[in-house]
Amino acid sequence: MTEKQIRDINDRPILRAAIEAKADILLTGDKDFLDSGVKNPMIMTPAEFLNI
């Protein structure tokens, strides 16, 4: 499951909630999310989102 790609186990419920909500994008500055390689939802910083 994608959840295990998140290093910090305290962040995993956030990813789980985003998946359950069928979010397309998860905006965060958290390095654990950004470095996870999770593809769905797309994880990006707010700055990256604004430059789409």
Side-chain angles (χ1 to χ4, degrees), residues 2-45:
T2 5
E3 185 177 310
K4 293 183 190 235
Q5 291 176 259
I6 303 296
R7 287 185 298 248
D8 185 347
I9 61 170
N10 294 317
D11 289 340
R12 291 178 181 176
I14 296 167
L15 178 61
R16 199 175 314 131
I19 291 169
E20 286 295 316
K22 295 180 175 51
D24 294 322
I25 300 171
L26 176 62
L27 296 179
T28 184
D30 188 309
K31 193 160 177 61
D32 289 327
F33 279 107
L34 296 169
D35 293 343
S36 69
V38 171
K39 301 290 185 213
N40 191 11
M42 186 183 329
I43 298 175
M44 59 178 53
T45 66

